[in-house]
Amino acid sequence: MSACSDAGSQNQPDAAGQNAVPDGPLVMQVQFLVDEDRYEEALGKLRQEDAADPEIMVLLRDTHLHFGTWLMYHAETIHMTERMPMALSHFRRVLELDPQNRQAQANIRQIEDIYRSMNRDIPQGVAE
């Protein structure tokens, strides 16, 4: 085996420094993108599918939930005044897809409580 082998080149970073999305089932591609914090790309793939399909609905719900959570806790490069409304909109989208989702409900309450404590209007809107 040589050091110049092309084996595994599929996972080499592209010009933007991102790993290539692996070939395979949509669920695998979406999970790869979520694991890489590439939520917009994952949602873009899902928007091309039939949202009435139960598997797609679950993927949409989970991707919005992960995106909202990432925005709340890990998106340090996005200012708080932008990422909290974005997170809130993603959690609201989760509730449209799964009205009983406890994690989305808890995160919405937490964000809204922060806005109330600061005497600020709670942002409206839902993610696409």
Side-chain angles (χ1 to χ4, degrees):
M1 181 173 193
S2 90
C4 295
S5 171
D6 282 334
S9 64
Q10 178 174 317
N11 290 326
Q12 295 298 315
D14 63 14
Q18 296 181 330
N19 291 324
V21 178
D23 291 330
L26 179 64
V27 67
M28 186 178 82
Q29 292 179 29
V30 169
Q31 186 59 54
F32 172 84
L33 291 167
V34 167
D35 289 345
E36 295 262 318
D37 299 329
R38 292 162 58 185
Y39 303 101
E40 290 289 348
E41 200 172 338
L43 289 169
K45 283 188 173 290
L46 292 169
R47 285 185 194 109
Q48 297 173 11
E49 303 296 325
D50 178 9
D53 179 325
E55 182 179 24
I56 300 304
M57 194 247 355
V58 167
L59 288 170
L60 277 166
R61 179 200 65 199
D62 292 349
T63 302
H64 281 289
L65 189 62
H66 287 295
F67 196 3
T69 302
W70 178 81
L71 286 163
M72 278 183 76
Y73 298 110
H74 304 289
E76 294 89 11
T77 60
I78 304 171
H79 193 273
M80 182 79 74
T81 58
E82 292 178 52
R83 63 187 169 111
M84 286 303 118
M86 289 169 55
L88 193 54
S89 70
H90 284 283
F91 294 133
R92 288 182 182 140
R93 180 70 173 120
V94 170
L95 291 184
E96 285 183 344
L97 297 165
D98 177 10
Q100 303 305 314
N101 190 288
R102 293 180 191 267
Q103 187 174 356
Q105 291 170 348
N107 287 330
I108 288 170
R109 270 193 308 275
Q110 182 178 355
I111 293 171
E112 288 180 347
D113 286 348
I114 291 168
Y115 275 95
R116 284 186 195 98
S117 74
M118 295 170 23
N119 291 321
R120 294 213 169 161
D121 290 335
I122 296 170
Q124 301 303 310
V126 176
E128 294 179 28

